[in-house]
Amino acid sequence: MNAAGTAVLRLDDVHRVHGQAATEVQALRGVSLAVYPGELVAVMGPSGSGKSTLLTIAGGLDSPTSGTVCVEGRDLGGLDRAGRARLRRTSVGYVFQDFNLVPALTAAENAALPLELDGVRARAARGAALAALGELGIEELADRFPDQMSGGQQQRVAIARAVVGERRLVLADEPTGALDSETGEEVLRMLRARCDAGTAAVMVTHEARHAAWADRVVFLRDGVVVDESSPLPPTALLEPSLR
Amino acid sequence: MVCIPGMVASGGHENPGGPMSVRHSLLALLEEGPMYGYQLRAEFERRTGGTWPLNVGQVYSTLARLERDGLVEARGDDGEGHRMYAATPAGTAAVGEWFATPVARSQPARDELAIKLAVAVTVPGVDVGAMIQQQRSATMTALQEYTRLKARAAVDDPAELAWTLVLDSLVFAAESEIRWLDHCETRLRRAEIDRARRTPSSSVEPSSSVEPSSSVEPVETPGGAR
């Protein structure tokens, strides 16, 4: 998972300036980041450090003032609005702090929604949704409505919705923010398992304990990446039998 | 079982948790039945995931003191030349008392990082921002490692429960250290801004002194009790 492989997400020298002149705020100042298949990257930083801006730009919901953003090798800047919207629907899954499930739809219908919006026929979409729920081990929730599920269950359904179909990039904004410690950890375990199965994910969090599930932790301060932490080589830590 | 770097190194000269916890732990393990020294050591390390390794000499010297104090008694050998020990009624009572008494927090354990930071903010010419960031990265790396060990542990295996609770303790300690570093950084920035306001000639903008510099060594990762 290095320079040789193709990054699912690549940000190159991204700047984002909000406002003008006296009220100008530099939300991002030259951020470069590449996320490869199978990688979970956590972004940490205090409020105002630019982490939410980073996530919205990575997902094509906002555009950089300068610099480039590529998702699966396609430059978002080279796409028109419709093209960007399409790429968002087909390549990117989102997970939010407050789950954002549609209350009138069951778990399976929620998970099928991105595919249906993209024109996939209802039956095929439902099949893919059930497969996603099954892979995450929550098929028994398929016919429940959001108000019949706990927060942790809703967030797991939201992750199913984020990975349904062929989407390989998940962007998660404080996915454990509304969950208790134990449930948050279960959600992280699930996200980790998805990444181990090949998905790439970027997660914004302010909880170090949750960021620690990531392969890399990126620290943002004032719109600049100040440091990254990666695990030590596994040989330094474990008996070979555990590896 | 598993060896975690940083711990063995930091706990070399002193038992983390203090010798009292080893003494009481060994005594408590004898509640399960008579054991000899190697068995006690293995049982202690199985429950704590090898986080605080004991040498067998330490086990036997602890047993000798427990025997002197009337808390354990020798029970002959097991037929293979191992000297067996069992808890006496007084020993069982001591174990009960240990479990019923909270661990004291009266004397703060010496914390190398807190001391280092306290000295750094008062000594001129130290880039405290860089020091904090480097430490945060190092502690985060350790936290990632603990989490990977946790991810590997079988959640439904009761034998793993004791060890994963120890891991959780390390996880929470590392997390709390990171939160404390965040807090220090925020306070230092605020202090810097206040200072800038009092001297009107200088800029109000805090200098971004958080760029990492290689001149500062991170403190060895916390090894549990500190």
Side-chain angles (χ1 to χ4, degrees), chain B:
Chain B
M1 187 180 195
V2 179
C3 186
I4 301 176
M7 284 174 183
V8 182
S10 67
H13 52 285
E14 197 188 339
N15 277 315
M20 288 309 282
S21 65
V22 170
R23 179 179 154 100
H24 283 113
S25 297
L26 298 185
L27 193 53
L29 291 174
L30 289 176
E31 293 292 305
E32 292 186 344
M35 277 187 249
Y36 56 90
Y38 275 100
Q39 274 179 319
L40 277 169
R41 182 177 76 156
E43 286 304 310
F44 179 84
E45 294 196 350
R46 192 165 74 87
R47 283 162 172 82
T48 54
T51 306
W52 299 286
L54 290 179
N55 66 54
V56 81
Q58 198 178 353
V59 173
Y60 278 111
S61 62
T62 305
L63 282 170
R65 279 196 301 275
L66 287 167
E67 190 175 14
R68 179 200 66 199
D69 298 341
L71 301 176
V72 306
E73 58 192 11
R75 284 279 175 86
D77 76 45
D78 64 348
E80 288 175 37
H82 298 122
R83 194 167 146 90
M84 305 295 283
Y85 290 89
T88 64
T92 299
V95 169
E97 202 186 317
W98 184 49
F99 285 134
T101 312
V103 174
R105 282 196 83 90
S106 51
Q107 186 74 27
R110 200 159 75 182
D111 183 330
E112 184 180 347
L113 178 57
I115 294 169
K116 182 169 156 180
L117 200 67
V119 171
V121 295
T122 49
V123 170
V126 181
D127 187 345
V128 182
M131 195 185 112
I132 288 177
Q133 182 50 44
Q134 266 212 338
Q135 186 64 48
R136 184 163 37 213
S137 253
T139 306
M140 177 53 81
T141 300
L143 184 51
Q144 283 172 276
E145 294 310 332
Y146 300 150
T147 305
R148 279 165 53 159
L149 292 174
K150 235 170 79 166
R152 269 192 204 97
V155 276
D156 45 1
D157 179 358
E160 298 267 271
L161 181 61
W163 144 243
T164 53
L165 291 178
V166 171
L167 260 182
D168 279 337
S169 152
L170 303 175
V171 163
F172 280 102
E175 181 191 37
S176 116
E177 184 169 290
I178 290 171
R179 289 181 59 183
W180 176 70
L181 288 165
D182 288 345
H183 170 82
C184 293
E185 184 179 72
T186 307
R187 286 197 55 187
L188 287 167
R189 282 178 157 218
R190 201 172 299 151
E192 206 173 319
I193 291 170
D194 288 348
R195 214 175 311 131
R197 284 206 179 115
R198 281 196 296 272
T199 36
S201 58
S202 56
S203 160
V204 178
E205 189 79 1
S207 76
S208 55
S209 58
V210 282
E211 308 291 339
S213 95
S214 55
S215 62
V216 192
E217 284 294 309
V219 172
E220 194 73 37
T221 301
R226 330 184 45 221

Side-chain angles (χ1 to χ4, degrees), chain A residues 1-2 33-36 39-44 192 211-219 225-237 243, chain B residues 5 133-148 178 218 221:
Chain A
M1 53 172 199
N2 235 315
L33 175 71
V35 185
Y36 295 90
E39 261 197 316
L40 174 57
V41 174
V43 179
M44 291 195 79
R192 176 74 261 174
W213 286 87
D215 299 292
R216 279 187 289 146
V217 181
V218 173
F219 295 96
V225 174
V226 290
D227 208 355
E228 273 190 31
S229 101
S230 306
L232 303 168
T235 45
L237 274 156
R243 194 46 205 168
Chain B
Q133 182 50 44
Q134 266 212 338
Q135 186 64 48
R136 184 163 37 213
S137 253
T139 306
M140 177 53 81
T141 300
L143 184 51
Q144 283 172 276
E145 294 310 332
Y146 300 150
T147 305
R148 279 165 53 159
I178 290 171
T221 301

